[in-house]
Each structure stands twice: as structure tokens, then as C-alpha cells.
């Protein structure tokens, strides 16, 4: 792989300043070691095993990093930064609609025999409502807090 002077300088800044995540620094080191255009290099480009040893990683990491560089069309920044997930690993139970229903329930008058709503009482009533997923009292409390609602 052949890096441009601008890419090489950008990667060098990532490696030399201590304000970037370690994973990015490791990947930047790997790309710098694999650069064929390095003016300071004497001799041929080192093997992947040598690059892995110098960067302090396993050979598989070198292979994956160079493969990611090729797959991303030689974009250095995309290669070393973490890929953002398109969807979260678990869909959130509390959506805007559920949060609105919780606040509406908490604003209503409490059931007979109770002076006010508590989180545990809300939890019991939410379990009885079909179109709201069963939520734990702590989840209900977080949703109410996010909506700046205070039980009084």
C-alpha cells in the first residue's frame, strides 16, 4: 500500500500525540509500517509478521487492518476509526410513544387506596396495560426523569 504525504503526516500525528484511543494508534502504526512510499525506510517493506511485532499486535490484526484499508478504498481515517453501528444491538423498549404514555399515566389520579403514584405502583399498572411493554420500576423512573417529570 502507498500512502500520500498528507495521510502519512495525519497518521504520524495520531501515533505521536497521546490523545487518541489506543486502537486507533495501533492501526495507525500498522498503516505507517506497511507504507511503501515512506521516505525514511531503508530496504523493502517489512513482512506482516515483522509489522505485527513492531506494532505489538497479532499478525491477524495486521491482516485485518490492511484488508480494511483496501476495502475502504484507501481511506486512512475510515480504516483506523471504529465503524458506527447503524442500529443498536438491542432495540430500546422505551420509545417516545411509550414515554408519553408513562407520563400520562403518572399525571392521572392514582388508584383508590393510594395517595400518589410510586414507581412500583406504576410498574404494576404498566404490566396490566397491553400496548406498553412490561417495564421495570427503575426503567420507568429513568423514562420519567428523561421527560423531566417528578412524582409528587
Amino acid at each position: 500500500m502507498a500512502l500520500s504525504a498528507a495521510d502519512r503526516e495525519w497518521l504520524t500525528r495520531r501515533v505521536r500525540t497521546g490523545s487518541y484511543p489506543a486502537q486507533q494508534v495501533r492501526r495507525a502504526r500498522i498503516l505507517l509500517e506497511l507504507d511503501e512510499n515512506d521516505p525514511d525506510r531503508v530496504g523493502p517493506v517489512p513482512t506482516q509478521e515483522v509489522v505485527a511485532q513492531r506494532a505489538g499486535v497479532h499478525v491477524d490484526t495486521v491482516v485485518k487492518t490492511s484488508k480494511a484499508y483496501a476495502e475502504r478504498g484507501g481511506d486512512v481515517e475510515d480504516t483506523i476509526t471504529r465503524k458506527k453501528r447503524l442500529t443498536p444491538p438491542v432495540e430500546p423498549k422505551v420509545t417516545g410513544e411509550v414515554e408519553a404514555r408513562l407520563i400520562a399515566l403518572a399525571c392521572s389520579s392514582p388508584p383508590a387506596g393510594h395517595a400518589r403514584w410510586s414507581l412500583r405502583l406504576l410498574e404494576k399498572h404498566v404490566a396490566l396495560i397491553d400496548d406498553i411493554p412490561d417495564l421495570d420500576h427503575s426503567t420507568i423512573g429513568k423514562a420519567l426523569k428523561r421527560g423531566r417529570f417528578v412524582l409528587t
Side-chain angles (χ1 to χ4, degrees):
M1 89 177 68
L3 298 174
S4 68
D7 285 344
R8 195 175 317 103
E9 193 234 313
W10 188 82
L11 288 169
T12 305
R13 240 184 294 124
R14 286 272 195 261
V15 170
R16 294 215 172 125
T17 59
S19 58
Y20 296 101
Q23 190 176 45
Q24 284 186 16
V25 172
R26 278 192 299 272
R27 289 179 183 153
R29 274 195 191 121
I30 291 168
L31 291 178
L32 287 170
E33 287 289 334
L34 292 173
D35 181 22
E36 296 168 355
N37 289 343
D38 188 0
D40 299 332
R41 174 170 290 122
V42 176
V45 176
T47 63
Q48 291 178 338
E49 290 81 12
V50 173
V51 171
Q53 192 176 28
R54 288 180 185 170
V57 296
H58 194 271
V59 178
D60 292 344
T61 306
V62 176
V63 171
K64 287 177 185 175
T65 303
S66 59
K67 184 179 176 185
Y69 178 79
E71 287 173 353
R72 294 181 175 124
D75 189 342
V76 173
E77 189 170 357
D78 274 355
T79 302
I80 71 165
T81 54
R82 186 167 183 232
K83 189 169 70 170
K84 191 76 174 160
R85 283 179 181 241
L86 297 175
T87 57
V90 177
E91 286 294 319
K93 283 186 175 182
V94 181
T95 61
E97 182 184 335
V98 171
E99 192 173 319
R101 298 278 314 273
L102 283 173
I103 291 173
L105 180 63
C107 287
S108 67
S109 56
H114 296 277
R116 64 183 189 90
W117 284 105
S118 68
L119 292 178
R120 300 214 186 248
L121 186 59
L122 281 170
E123 178 183 14
K124 288 177 185 172
H125 278 271
V126 164
L128 299 175
I129 300 174
D130 289 335
D131 55 342
I132 297 180
D134 288 346
L135 301 172
D136 183 58
H137 66 277
S138 62
T139 306
I140 293 171
K142 288 175 191 172
L144 294 176
K145 187 175 184 179
R146 201 173 25 248
R148 294 199 170 107
F149 183 84
V150 179
L151 290 174
T152 55

